[in-house]
Amino acid sequence: MAIYRFRLTFDDYDEVIREIDIKSNQTFEDLHKALHRSTGYNSEKSSSFYVSSDHWIKGDEIAYLPNQKKVDRGVATMEKSRLSSFIEDPHQKFYYIYNFDRPYDFHVELVKIILQADANIEYPVLFKSIGEAPKIFDANNFTAATTTAAASTDFDFLNEMDFVPEDTEELEAMDGRGISTSSKTDDDEDESEEDEFSSGDDYDAEDYDSKEDY
């Protein structure tokens, strides 16, 4: 039994690579699920492989969990499609779209054909893994993620000023021009106005007893 080695790369993340060995008589569904065991993604999402040209132009579709429109059109399904039935080139390419609700695109290329399977290996098997698959936020964890992000951006005035309680000497040196922790009351303002006029000379009423004194 021949073994196909497929190299899978993200369309937008060339540095993330997975290589999977799989038997030629296994299905695209087996490859689909093996891929997502290696990425940590939920494999139970509507997805499709497309037979591709060397320039990644999509051809015939092989679908997983197809919608009714595709079913009516008679699209091939992954669970019924053997890999060997779609291999026409020793470097056969497939364009793969994962999760049509929040799509991620992959390039899938046959890079090696091993003529004999290893009896000690259970296929499909991950042969090589390079890079961490990008995170995917779905409806279940998107709210929690955004809440955490919002909390982390809250403005903390004292922290932004690098203020610590031990900095009291520095605040005293600022002669009251530092951080004020209380607001000025109306009574304080009245006292300030009284002080302004009371600090002057004393004026006795007897000095102005009659109009002639003016």
Side-chain angles (χ1 to χ4, degrees):
M1 179 66 63
I3 299 298
Y4 294 148
R5 180 168 296 164
F6 286 101
R7 178 177 295 152
L8 305 101
T9 57
F10 282 84
D11 194 17
D12 296 322
Y13 301 88
D14 292 338
E15 71 280 5
V16 180
I17 298 172
R18 301 290 186 267
E19 290 188 1
I20 294 174
D21 288 353
I22 187 169
K23 292 180 180 180
S24 59
N25 67 344
Q26 290 184 287
T27 67
F28 281 90
E29 182 181 9
D30 295 322
L31 181 59
H32 163 83
K33 292 186 174 181
L35 168 60
H36 295 304
R37 283 196 295 272
S38 74
T39 60
Y41 299 164
N42 180 4
S43 64
E44 296 304 306
K45 300 289 185 180
S46 179
S47 308
S48 287
F49 287 94
Y50 298 86
V51 178
S52 174
S53 70
D54 288 340
H55 301 289
W56 303 109
I57 297 173
K58 296 191 292 289
D60 293 338
E61 181 179 6
I62 307 109
Y64 184 70
L65 300 179
N67 59 29
Q68 190 59 47
K69 183 178 179 180
K70 291 181 180 181
V71 171
D72 294 342
R73 198 174 68 234
V75 68
T77 58
M78 290 190 194
E79 63 269 25
K80 295 180 180 179
S81 300
R82 295 183 183 275
L83 293 165
S84 58
S85 300
F86 291 84
I87 301 298
E88 300 175 352
D89 186 292
H91 298 285
Q92 182 68 55
K93 293 179 174 63
F94 297 95
Y95 198 99
Y96 173 62
I97 299 178
Y98 165 69
N99 186 7
F100 284 100
D101 293 330
R102 297 177 64 86
Y104 267 66
D105 294 357
F106 293 79
H107 290 164
V108 181
E109 182 177 3
L110 178 61
V111 294
K112 188 174 184 178
I113 299 176
I114 302 168
L115 296 180
Q116 188 63 42
D118 188 330
N120 297 317
I121 295 178
E122 184 176 351
Y123 297 93
V125 62
L126 179 64
F127 175 75
K128 181 185 292 186
S129 177
I130 300 174
E132 183 177 353
K135 301 298 182 185
I136 290 180
F137 295 104
D138 58 27
N140 294 327
N141 59 22
F142 180 75
T143 301
T146 53
T147 301
T148 301
S152 66
T153 58
D154 286 347
F155 183 79
D156 186 334
F157 181 75
L158 293 182
N159 285 339
E160 290 293 326
M161 295 293 293
D162 295 328
F163 173 74
V164 293
E166 289 79 3
D167 288 341
T168 53
E169 293 183 1
E170 181 177 344
L171 291 179
E172 290 174 358
M174 295 171 68
D175 192 24
R177 293 186 296 273
I179 301 171
S180 176
T181 57
S182 63
S183 60
K184 196 170 185 180
T185 65
D186 293 339
D187 291 341
D188 294 335
E189 293 179 357
D190 293 341
E191 290 176 4
S192 297
E193 292 176 0
E194 291 175 3
D195 291 343
E196 180 180 352
F197 293 101
S198 64
S199 61
D201 296 334
D202 293 334
Y203 297 96
D204 296 330
E206 63 184 19
D207 292 337
Y208 302 96
D209 290 337
S210 65
K211 292 182 180 181
E212 287 77 3
D213 292 332
Y214 290 93

